[in-house]
Amino acid sequence: MSLAAVVGDRVRAVLPTRAILATMGRSPRKDLLAGLTVAIVALPLALGFGISSGAGAEAGLATAVVAGALAAVFGGSDLQVSGPTGAMTVVLVPIVARYGTDGVLTVGLLAGMVLVLLALLRAGRWMAYVPVPVVEGFTLGIAGVIALQQVPGALGVPKPEGDNPAVVAARAVRDFAVAPHWAAVGVAFAVAAVMLVGVRLRPALPFSLIAVVAATVTAELAGLPVATIGHLPAGLPAPSFGFVDLSAVPALLPSAFAVAALAALESLMSATAADAMRVSGRHDSDRELFGQGLANLAAPLFGGVAATGAIARTAVNVRSGAASRLAALVHAAVLAVIVFAAAPLVAGIPLAALAGVLIATAVRMVEVGSLRALARTGRGEAAVLALTAVATLAFDLVTAVVLGVLVSGVLALAAVARAARVEQVPLRAQAPAADHHEEELALLAEHIVAYRIDGPLLFAAAHRFLLELTESAEVEVAILRMSRVSAIDASGATVLGDAITALRRRGTLVLVSGVRDEHHRPLDALGVLDGLHADGHVFATTPEAIAHARAHLHGRAVPADRAHAAEDGRAAGHGLTATGAAERLRHPC
């Protein structure tokens, strides 16, 4: 099949089908009501995140309208709502500071291309492997960053210079101490309090919009000296590529990959959360990446910033009774009407009110119950969560996620290593007394040791395995039972070969039994068992290996000193296990 045909098949696989689009007409009334509810909740968030990113309130509205509509139609979830989010704002702030508005629009365009490519490569399934402590850690870190970013607006002071949100917040507090603006503090505090208290009393009401409207009316009637959003254009600008500077693309690529990674991760997390909140139906990960890619390709053309699936707005959509993607499309349409018809009203909203909305949003992002539960699961999970959160505050989100995933990988690898063990097993269970004379049983017990290798023999556990096996006392015959080895890599195979070589140099006859078919490839590639194969010392089952060992011992005299060494080895060898208690052998292979 040609490359063009493969690409064509991949594109058709991620495009919405007629059956998917037909679902938009099943419950239009439910979807209309849900879409209107989500739009009411989304309006202050879109304005706030647009301003917080540095691109302006109009950029937040354009993102919510354009990206929200395209992701609704082409995405992989029927209930996902997309737009500007707090997590994306955290990443965009330093990009705007360094490259300006044109730079952040270019980054969004490039990120859209990356997302479309990931969808065509069917990379959606890999996003599920991000560990839960990392997700919770960066969510906690994002909440902290969002709250810190609102400090200048809540205090009514111009945003100080700086990239680190904690440093900027500290400078804002210093500036406030020199020239206090208590009206702004009062507005921000009142809005945040109304949202946090109101959501506990009446969760169904859109307290963010209620609080913002009340703050705007109060500020206007009382003549409070607070800064407002200011003039907004009545409508979206004509689509344009005028912001693209091809010479700047290489410098912007790292930021674009970071934005794409965050958009993919947050969108798929949100879609998964939507799946968990409904009885039936599951999202398509690759189609969701494709929809988010198209949304991010289009939004910058209208002055919008990068978008993702929004967990909070998606949850509101589901709980409001949405039945299909028509609800998310209605949400975008309602916001578009506001952009075209109500721009003068939006212009009077105090910036401190939007800061209060985002501070309350940051507080609500922190799930204390989930954090406590993770902290109780183990020190490793708690450490990963704390590291990710602190790295998000100190560095940036991408660095934090990379660090969290790496540390989680190391901890998982350590757990795998602890699961691997080498255990000496008694031969009497292998051979019932009826099968042997008493002197033959004594000979077997004194001069043959069987080691059962359990679990994965990977590089993390390999060297401990070598020490446990080769530090045991010398015996005439060592049988290595490998039927319970779950996995083996190149490092494990190499160390196994070293252990076999060390035992053979002592004069010990090494027999191997029960090698699984899937483990032959690494063993054969490194020649680990070549010598044993040549001597006929590799067996399918352990009883065959014991029979060979018995024949070997019958054919030669055993020196007294070796017999004593074997007796000592048998006494010391019981309990040779990485996990503790010895397990009696119950199966022949």
Side-chain angles (χ1 to χ4, degrees):
M1 184 179 292
S2 66
L3 178 61
V6 172
V7 172
D9 288 343
R10 296 286 177 88
V11 170
R12 283 190 290 273
V14 294
L15 287 174
T17 62
R18 289 185 179 180
I20 290 175
L21 296 177
T23 61
M24 297 172 65
R26 292 179 180 174
S27 302
R29 184 175 179 179
K30 289 183 178 180
D31 288 331
L32 288 172
L33 291 175
L36 179 60
T37 304
V38 176
I40 292 172
V41 172
L43 176 59
L45 294 176
L47 294 169
F49 287 135
I51 293 171
S52 184
S53 70
E58 61 273 20
L61 284 174
T63 304
V65 173
V66 178
L70 286 173
V73 175
F74 293 96
S77 171
D78 290 339
L79 304 179
Q80 177 94 287
V81 178
S82 300
T85 63
M88 187 59 73
T89 299
V90 172
V91 176
L92 296 180
V93 168
I95 299 174
V96 173
R98 182 174 300 179
Y99 301 107
T101 303
D102 287 351
V104 82
L105 297 181
T106 305
V107 164
L109 188 70
L110 295 173
M113 295 178 183
V114 173
L115 287 169
V116 169
L117 180 61
L118 288 175
L120 297 181
L121 293 176
R122 297 177 180 173
R125 61 185 181 275
W126 298 110
M127 296 298 170
Y129 291 98
V130 178
V132 171
V134 176
V135 174
E136 293 290 344
F138 84 67
T139 301
L140 177 60
I142 288 168
V145 172
I146 292 172
L148 289 172
Q149 286 176 343
Q150 308 317 310
V151 171
L155 297 180
V157 300
K159 182 180 177 182
E161 295 294 327
D163 293 331
N164 187 281
V167 173
V168 172
R171 291 173 179 171
V173 172
R174 180 197 62 194
D175 295 343
F176 177 81
V178 174
H181 298 271
W182 295 109
V185 174
V187 169
F189 177 82
V191 170
V194 168
M195 284 185 61
L196 293 175
V197 174
V199 76
R200 290 182 175 272
L201 299 178
R202 299 291 297 272
L205 294 180
F207 280 99
S208 59
L209 185 63
I210 293 173
V212 168
V213 171
T216 303
V217 173
T218 302
E220 183 69 24
L221 294 178
L224 297 179
V226 292
T228 61
I229 291 177
H231 173 72
L232 287 178
L236 296 175
S240 171
F241 285 96
F243 58 86
V244 177
D245 180 3
L246 295 179
S247 64
V249 168
L252 294 173
L253 277 177
S255 298
F257 283 117
V259 168
L262 176 59
L265 180 61
E266 189 173 16
S267 297
L268 294 180
M269 283 172 49
S270 178
T272 302
D275 292 343
M277 288 185 285
R278 58 177 174 173
V279 178
S280 61
R282 288 294 180 267
H283 75 278
D284 184 312
S285 297
D286 294 325
R287 186 173 282 138
E288 181 62 28
L289 290 181
F290 184 74
Q292 295 296 334
L294 292 183
N296 281 284
L297 281 171
L301 305 183
F302 295 89
V305 295
T308 75
I311 296 176
R313 275 157 274 177
T314 299
V316 171
N317 192 39
V318 176
R319 291 166 184 163
S320 299
S324 73
R325 57 190 67 212
L326 177 61
L329 195 59
V330 169
H331 136 270
V334 171
L335 291 178
V337 171
I338 293 173
V339 170
F340 282 95
L345 297 177
V346 172
I349 296 175
L351 295 179
L354 295 180
V357 169
L358 297 188
I359 289 173
T361 301
V363 172
R364 293 178 60 190
M365 287 176 64
V366 180
E367 296 286 346
V368 178
S370 298
L371 296 180
R372 287 177 178 172
L374 275 176
R376 289 195 299 266
T377 59
R379 295 179 180 177
E381 284 78 3
V384 170
L385 189 154
L387 173 66
T388 308
V390 171
T392 302
L393 289 168
F395 305 108
D396 58 71
L397 186 61
V398 176
T399 301
V401 172
V402 170
L403 284 175
V405 170
L406 286 177
V407 174
S408 295
V410 171
L411 293 176
L413 200 55
V416 168
R418 289 193 296 269
R421 64 182 183 178
V422 183
E423 182 177 2
Q424 181 178 335
V425 293
L427 287 174
R428 291 182 184 275
Q430 297 269 13
D435 295 344
H436 302 290
H437 300 295
E438 287 298 324
E439 60 271 19
E440 187 176 9
L441 285 172
L443 188 65
L444 288 171
E446 291 180 5
H447 305 298
I448 302 177
V449 173
Y451 295 101
R452 184 174 63 215
I453 308 170
D454 286 352
L457 190 55
L458 307 176
F459 74 91
H463 291 286
R464 180 167 56 80
F465 157 78
L466 176 63
L467 290 174
E468 290 184 359
L469 189 57
T470 57
E471 286 182 359
S472 60
E474 294 184 359
V475 292
E476 279 291 304
V477 182
I479 300 174
L480 306 183
R481 301 182 60 231
M482 298 185 62
S483 60
R484 295 194 182 184
V485 175
S486 58
I488 185 169
D489 66 358
S491 298
T494 300
V495 172
L496 176 64
D498 292 342
I500 292 172
T501 300
L503 289 171
R504 296 182 76 179
R505 283 176 180 170
R506 296 180 183 180
T508 301
L509 175 66
V510 179
L511 308 178
V512 173
S513 68
V515 179
R516 295 185 180 183
D517 291 340
E518 62 268 26
H519 298 160
H520 280 293
R521 181 173 181 177
L523 296 174
D524 292 345
L526 296 173
V528 172
L529 302 180
D530 287 354
L532 297 183
H533 275 298
D535 295 335
H537 292 164
V538 179
F539 302 90
T541 64
T542 302
E544 293 176 274
I546 293 175
H548 185 90
R550 186 168 68 241
H552 169 78
L553 292 178
H554 274 301
R556 57 184 293 187
V558 180
D561 59 339
R562 291 294 294 278
H564 292 305
E567 184 66 29
D568 294 340
R570 192 179 77 257
H574 287 293
L576 178 60
T577 170
T579 57
E583 176 186 348
R584 292 295 175 182
L585 182 64
R586 296 181 180 179
H587 302 287
C589 62

